Short mmCIF file of all heavy atoms in Angstrom, two decimals:
data_model
loop_
_atom_site.label_atom_id
_atom_site.label_comp_id
_atom_site.label_asym_id
_atom_site.label_seq_id
_atom_site.Cartn_x
_atom_site.Cartn_y
_atom_site.Cartn_z
N THR C 10 63.82 213.52 -9.40
CA THR C 10 63.30 213.81 -10.77
C THR C 10 62.01 214.58 -10.72
O THR C 10 61.74 215.39 -11.64
CB THR C 10 63.13 212.52 -11.57
OG1 THR C 10 62.16 211.70 -10.93
CG2 THR C 10 64.44 211.73 -11.70
N LEU C 11 61.23 214.39 -9.68
CA LEU C 11 59.94 215.08 -9.58
C LEU C 11 60.10 216.59 -9.36
O LEU C 11 59.13 217.33 -9.48
CB LEU C 11 59.08 214.46 -8.48
CG LEU C 11 58.48 213.08 -8.83
CD1 LEU C 11 57.92 212.44 -7.60
CD2 LEU C 11 57.42 213.25 -9.90
N ALA C 12 61.32 217.00 -9.05
CA ALA C 12 61.59 218.42 -8.96
C ALA C 12 61.55 219.10 -10.33
O ALA C 12 61.39 220.32 -10.42
CB ALA C 12 62.96 218.66 -8.30
N ARG C 13 61.71 218.27 -11.38
CA ARG C 13 61.75 218.82 -12.73
C ARG C 13 60.60 218.38 -13.62
O ARG C 13 60.47 218.84 -14.75
CB ARG C 13 63.07 218.45 -13.40
CG ARG C 13 64.31 219.00 -12.71
CD ARG C 13 64.35 220.53 -12.79
NE ARG C 13 65.52 221.07 -12.08
CZ ARG C 13 65.69 222.35 -11.80
NH1 ARG C 13 64.76 223.21 -12.18
NH2 ARG C 13 66.74 222.76 -11.15
N CYS C 14 59.83 217.42 -13.16
CA CYS C 14 58.67 216.95 -13.97
C CYS C 14 57.55 216.55 -13.04
O CYS C 14 57.80 216.25 -11.86
CB CYS C 14 59.08 215.78 -14.87
SG CYS C 14 59.50 214.25 -13.99
N ASN C 15 56.35 216.53 -13.58
CA ASN C 15 55.20 216.21 -12.71
C ASN C 15 54.45 214.98 -13.18
O ASN C 15 53.30 214.75 -12.76
CB ASN C 15 54.24 217.43 -12.65
CG ASN C 15 53.80 217.88 -14.03
OD1 ASN C 15 53.98 217.17 -15.01
ND2 ASN C 15 53.25 219.07 -14.08
N ARG C 16 55.06 214.18 -14.06
CA ARG C 16 54.48 212.92 -14.49
C ARG C 16 55.26 211.77 -13.91
O ARG C 16 56.47 211.69 -14.08
CB ARG C 16 54.43 212.85 -16.02
CG ARG C 16 53.54 213.89 -16.66
CD ARG C 16 53.48 213.69 -18.18
NE ARG C 16 52.78 212.44 -18.55
CZ ARG C 16 53.40 211.39 -19.06
NH1 ARG C 16 54.73 211.41 -19.28
NH2 ARG C 16 52.72 210.29 -19.36
N ILE C 17 54.56 210.84 -13.24
CA ILE C 17 55.22 209.75 -12.58
C ILE C 17 55.99 208.87 -13.58
O ILE C 17 57.11 208.44 -13.33
CB ILE C 17 54.20 208.89 -11.82
CG1 ILE C 17 53.59 209.69 -10.64
CG2 ILE C 17 54.86 207.61 -11.28
CD1 ILE C 17 54.60 210.12 -9.62
N ALA C 18 55.39 208.61 -14.71
CA ALA C 18 56.05 207.75 -15.73
C ALA C 18 57.33 208.39 -16.19
O ALA C 18 58.35 207.69 -16.32
CB ALA C 18 55.10 207.53 -16.89
N THR C 19 57.32 209.69 -16.42
CA THR C 19 58.53 210.38 -16.89
C THR C 19 59.56 210.40 -15.76
O THR C 19 60.77 210.17 -16.02
CB THR C 19 58.19 211.84 -17.26
OG1 THR C 19 57.22 211.82 -18.31
CG2 THR C 19 59.45 212.55 -17.78
N ALA C 20 59.10 210.61 -14.53
CA ALA C 20 60.02 210.64 -13.38
C ALA C 20 60.70 209.26 -13.22
O ALA C 20 61.92 209.20 -12.96
CB ALA C 20 59.27 211.02 -12.10
N ARG C 21 59.95 208.21 -13.40
CA ARG C 21 60.52 206.86 -13.25
C ARG C 21 61.55 206.59 -14.37
O ARG C 21 62.61 206.01 -14.11
CB ARG C 21 59.40 205.81 -13.31
CG ARG C 21 59.84 204.40 -12.91
CD ARG C 21 58.66 203.43 -12.99
NE ARG C 21 57.50 203.88 -12.21
CZ ARG C 21 57.38 203.71 -10.92
NH1 ARG C 21 58.34 203.10 -10.24
NH2 ARG C 21 56.30 204.13 -10.29
N GLU C 22 61.23 207.00 -15.57
CA GLU C 22 62.15 206.81 -16.69
C GLU C 22 63.47 207.54 -16.46
O GLU C 22 64.54 207.01 -16.68
CB GLU C 22 61.48 207.27 -17.96
CG GLU C 22 62.35 207.10 -19.21
CD GLU C 22 61.63 207.57 -20.46
OE1 GLU C 22 60.38 207.72 -20.45
OE2 GLU C 22 62.33 207.80 -21.50
N ARG C 23 63.35 208.79 -16.03
CA ARG C 23 64.55 209.57 -15.79
C ARG C 23 65.37 209.01 -14.58
O ARG C 23 66.57 209.02 -14.63
CB ARG C 23 64.19 211.03 -15.49
CG ARG C 23 63.61 211.79 -16.70
CD ARG C 23 63.32 213.24 -16.37
NE ARG C 23 62.74 213.93 -17.51
CZ ARG C 23 62.34 215.21 -17.47
NH1 ARG C 23 62.43 215.88 -16.34
NH2 ARG C 23 61.83 215.79 -18.54
N ALA C 24 64.65 208.56 -13.58
CA ALA C 24 65.34 207.97 -12.43
C ALA C 24 66.17 206.80 -12.85
O ALA C 24 67.33 206.64 -12.34
CB ALA C 24 64.29 207.55 -11.38
N GLN C 25 65.69 205.97 -13.74
CA GLN C 25 66.44 204.82 -14.16
C GLN C 25 67.74 205.22 -14.88
O GLN C 25 68.75 204.53 -14.76
CB GLN C 25 65.57 203.95 -15.06
CG GLN C 25 64.43 203.27 -14.31
CD GLN C 25 63.49 202.47 -15.22
OE1 GLN C 25 63.79 202.28 -16.40
NE2 GLN C 25 62.38 202.02 -14.66
N GLN C 26 67.74 206.36 -15.56
CA GLN C 26 68.95 206.84 -16.22
C GLN C 26 70.02 207.20 -15.17
O GLN C 26 71.20 206.84 -15.35
CB GLN C 26 68.61 208.07 -17.07
CG GLN C 26 67.68 207.80 -18.23
CD GLN C 26 67.29 209.05 -18.96
OE1 GLN C 26 67.72 210.17 -18.63
NE2 GLN C 26 66.40 208.92 -19.96
N TYR C 27 69.63 207.88 -14.11
CA TYR C 27 70.59 208.27 -13.10
C TYR C 27 71.04 207.06 -12.26
O TYR C 27 72.19 207.00 -11.86
CB TYR C 27 69.99 209.38 -12.22
CG TYR C 27 69.74 210.66 -12.98
CD1 TYR C 27 68.47 211.07 -13.24
CD2 TYR C 27 70.82 211.42 -13.43
CE1 TYR C 27 68.23 212.24 -13.98
CE2 TYR C 27 70.59 212.58 -14.15
CZ TYR C 27 69.31 213.01 -14.43
OH TYR C 27 69.08 214.13 -15.15
N ILE C 28 70.14 206.13 -12.04
CA ILE C 28 70.54 204.92 -11.34
C ILE C 28 71.57 204.15 -12.15
O ILE C 28 72.54 203.63 -11.62
CB ILE C 28 69.28 204.03 -11.11
CG1 ILE C 28 68.36 204.66 -10.08
CG2 ILE C 28 69.68 202.63 -10.65
CD1 ILE C 28 67.00 204.02 -9.98
N GLY C 29 71.41 204.12 -13.46
CA GLY C 29 72.40 203.52 -14.30
C GLY C 29 73.72 204.22 -14.28
O GLY C 29 74.79 203.59 -14.27
N PHE C 30 73.67 205.55 -14.24
CA PHE C 30 74.91 206.33 -14.23
C PHE C 30 75.76 206.01 -13.01
O PHE C 30 76.99 205.88 -13.10
CB PHE C 30 74.61 207.82 -14.24
CG PHE C 30 75.82 208.69 -14.20
CD1 PHE C 30 76.52 209.00 -15.36
CD2 PHE C 30 76.29 209.20 -12.99
CE1 PHE C 30 77.66 209.80 -15.33
CE2 PHE C 30 77.42 210.00 -12.95
CZ PHE C 30 78.13 210.30 -14.10
N VAL C 31 75.11 205.85 -11.83
CA VAL C 31 75.89 205.58 -10.61
C VAL C 31 76.11 204.10 -10.36
O VAL C 31 76.72 203.73 -9.38
CB VAL C 31 75.21 206.24 -9.39
CG1 VAL C 31 75.07 207.74 -9.58
CG2 VAL C 31 73.85 205.59 -9.11
N GLY C 32 75.60 203.24 -11.27
CA GLY C 32 75.89 201.83 -11.15
C GLY C 32 75.07 201.06 -10.13
O GLY C 32 75.52 200.08 -9.53
N LEU C 33 73.81 201.50 -9.94
CA LEU C 33 72.93 200.82 -8.96
C LEU C 33 71.79 200.06 -9.62
O LEU C 33 70.76 199.80 -8.99
CB LEU C 33 72.39 201.81 -7.95
CG LEU C 33 73.36 202.37 -6.90
CD1 LEU C 33 72.64 203.38 -6.00
CD2 LEU C 33 73.95 201.24 -6.06
N GLU C 34 71.94 199.71 -10.89
CA GLU C 34 70.81 199.03 -11.56
C GLU C 34 70.36 197.80 -10.84
O GLU C 34 69.17 197.50 -10.71
CB GLU C 34 71.23 198.63 -13.00
CG GLU C 34 71.69 199.79 -13.87
CD GLU C 34 73.19 199.92 -13.92
OE1 GLU C 34 73.82 199.72 -12.87
OE2 GLU C 34 73.73 200.22 -15.00
N ALA C 35 71.32 197.03 -10.33
CA ALA C 35 70.99 195.78 -9.63
C ALA C 35 70.29 196.01 -8.31
O ALA C 35 69.70 195.08 -7.71
CB ALA C 35 72.24 194.97 -9.41
N LYS C 36 70.31 197.25 -7.81
CA LYS C 36 69.70 197.60 -6.52
C LYS C 36 68.44 198.43 -6.68
O LYS C 36 67.94 198.99 -5.70
CB LYS C 36 70.71 198.36 -5.64
CG LYS C 36 71.98 197.58 -5.32
CD LYS C 36 71.71 196.43 -4.39
CE LYS C 36 72.97 195.71 -4.01
NZ LYS C 36 72.73 194.59 -3.08
N ARG C 37 67.92 198.49 -7.87
CA ARG C 37 66.80 199.39 -8.18
C ARG C 37 65.61 199.19 -7.23
O ARG C 37 64.96 200.17 -6.85
CB ARG C 37 66.36 199.19 -9.64
CG ARG C 37 65.26 200.11 -10.11
CD ARG C 37 64.98 199.89 -11.56
NE ARG C 37 64.51 198.56 -11.82
CZ ARG C 37 63.23 198.14 -11.68
NH1 ARG C 37 62.31 199.00 -11.25
NH2 ARG C 37 62.88 196.89 -11.93
N THR C 38 65.31 197.95 -6.85
CA THR C 38 64.14 197.69 -6.01
C THR C 38 64.52 197.47 -4.52
O THR C 38 63.68 197.10 -3.71
CB THR C 38 63.39 196.44 -6.50
OG1 THR C 38 64.26 195.31 -6.48
CG2 THR C 38 62.87 196.65 -7.92
N THR C 39 65.79 197.71 -4.20
CA THR C 39 66.25 197.56 -2.81
C THR C 39 65.87 198.79 -2.00
O THR C 39 65.93 199.92 -2.48
CB THR C 39 67.79 197.40 -2.81
OG1 THR C 39 68.15 196.24 -3.58
CG2 THR C 39 68.29 197.22 -1.36
N LEU C 40 65.47 198.56 -0.76
CA LEU C 40 65.12 199.69 0.12
C LEU C 40 66.37 200.46 0.52
O LEU C 40 67.44 199.89 0.65
CB LEU C 40 64.42 199.18 1.38
CG LEU C 40 63.08 198.50 1.19
CD1 LEU C 40 62.52 198.06 2.56
CD2 LEU C 40 62.09 199.41 0.48
N GLY C 41 66.19 201.75 0.73
CA GLY C 41 67.31 202.60 1.10
C GLY C 41 68.05 202.12 2.34
O GLY C 41 69.26 202.19 2.45
N LYS C 42 67.29 201.58 3.31
CA LYS C 42 67.90 201.15 4.55
C LYS C 42 68.73 199.89 4.42
O LYS C 42 69.51 199.53 5.32
CB LYS C 42 66.81 200.91 5.62
CG LYS C 42 65.87 199.77 5.30
CD LYS C 42 64.81 199.63 6.37
CE LYS C 42 63.83 198.48 6.07
NZ LYS C 42 62.77 198.40 7.11
N GLN C 43 68.63 199.23 3.32
CA GLN C 43 69.35 197.96 3.09
C GLN C 43 70.66 198.16 2.30
O GLN C 43 71.37 197.22 2.10
CB GLN C 43 68.45 196.99 2.32
CG GLN C 43 67.21 196.58 3.08
CD GLN C 43 66.25 195.74 2.26
OE1 GLN C 43 66.15 195.88 1.04
NE2 GLN C 43 65.52 194.84 2.92
N LEU C 44 70.99 199.38 1.99
CA LEU C 44 72.19 199.68 1.20
C LEU C 44 73.42 199.82 2.11
O LEU C 44 73.32 200.27 3.25
CB LEU C 44 72.01 200.94 0.39
CG LEU C 44 70.90 200.98 -0.66
CD1 LEU C 44 70.82 202.33 -1.28
CD2 LEU C 44 71.10 199.87 -1.70
N SER C 45 74.58 199.48 1.56
CA SER C 45 75.84 199.74 2.25
C SER C 45 76.13 201.24 2.19
O SER C 45 75.49 202.01 1.44
CB SER C 45 76.98 198.97 1.59
OG SER C 45 77.23 199.48 0.30
N THR C 46 77.12 201.70 2.96
CA THR C 46 77.48 203.11 2.95
C THR C 46 77.90 203.57 1.55
O THR C 46 77.49 204.65 1.08
CB THR C 46 78.61 203.39 3.94
OG1 THR C 46 78.19 203.00 5.25
CG2 THR C 46 78.96 204.88 3.99
N GLY C 47 78.73 202.76 0.89
CA GLY C 47 79.14 203.13 -0.45
C GLY C 47 77.97 203.20 -1.43
O GLY C 47 77.92 204.11 -2.29
N GLN C 48 77.02 202.30 -1.30
CA GLN C 48 75.82 202.32 -2.17
C GLN C 48 74.95 203.53 -1.84
O GLN C 48 74.37 204.14 -2.75
CB GLN C 48 75.06 201.03 -2.01
CG GLN C 48 75.77 199.83 -2.58
CD GLN C 48 75.20 198.49 -2.13
OE1 GLN C 48 74.40 198.43 -1.16
NE2 GLN C 48 75.58 197.41 -2.78
N ARG C 49 74.90 203.90 -0.57
CA ARG C 49 74.13 205.09 -0.20
C ARG C 49 74.73 206.35 -0.77
O ARG C 49 74.02 207.27 -1.17
CB ARG C 49 74.02 205.17 1.32
CG ARG C 49 73.13 204.14 1.96
CD ARG C 49 72.98 204.38 3.47
NE ARG C 49 72.13 203.37 4.06
CZ ARG C 49 71.55 203.50 5.26
NH1 ARG C 49 71.74 204.58 5.98
NH2 ARG C 49 70.80 202.52 5.74
N LYS C 50 76.07 206.38 -0.80
CA LYS C 50 76.74 207.52 -1.43
C LYS C 50 76.36 207.63 -2.91
O LYS C 50 76.09 208.73 -3.41
CB LYS C 50 78.26 207.37 -1.29
CG LYS C 50 78.80 207.47 0.12
CD LYS C 50 78.93 208.90 0.59
CE LYS C 50 79.66 208.97 1.93
NZ LYS C 50 79.82 210.35 2.42
N ARG C 51 76.32 206.50 -3.58
CA ARG C 51 75.95 206.48 -5.00
C ARG C 51 74.47 206.90 -5.17
O ARG C 51 74.12 207.68 -6.07
CB ARG C 51 76.15 205.09 -5.57
CG ARG C 51 77.61 204.71 -5.77
CD ARG C 51 77.79 203.30 -6.23
NE ARG C 51 79.18 202.92 -6.39
CZ ARG C 51 79.83 202.97 -7.56
NH1 ARG C 51 79.19 203.34 -8.66
NH2 ARG C 51 81.08 202.65 -7.66
N LEU C 52 73.62 206.40 -4.26
CA LEU C 52 72.21 206.78 -4.34
C LEU C 52 72.02 208.29 -4.13
O LEU C 52 71.27 208.91 -4.86
CB LEU C 52 71.42 205.99 -3.29
CG LEU C 52 69.96 206.39 -3.09
CD1 LEU C 52 69.19 206.23 -4.39
CD2 LEU C 52 69.32 205.56 -1.99
#
């Protein structure tokens, strides 16, 4: 999201929209290294 905006708050808000689209809301605070392959594909 920071490729299109330069405000952290806006970037965080937009990120949550895309996280919701791919169905990773429950993993929002999970580290990338802790995701399964399928979850990484979604990320």
Side-chain angles (χ1 to χ4, degrees):
T10 62
L11 286 168
R13 297 295 178 191
C14 66
N15 54 16
R16 295 184 66 250
I17 294 297
T19 303
R21 191 180 306 278
E22 180 180 343
R23 291 182 181 177
Q25 291 176 9
Q26 295 174 3
Y27 294 110
I28 291 169
F30 179 84
V31 302
L33 287 179
E34 302 98 320
K36 299 291 183 179
R37 184 176 60 85
T38 59
T39 301
L40 296 180
K42 65 182 180 182
Q43 296 173 329
L44 299 176
S45 68
T46 301
Q48 291 166 346
R49 290 186 180 197
K50 293 280 188 179
R51 289 174 180 265
L52 172 59

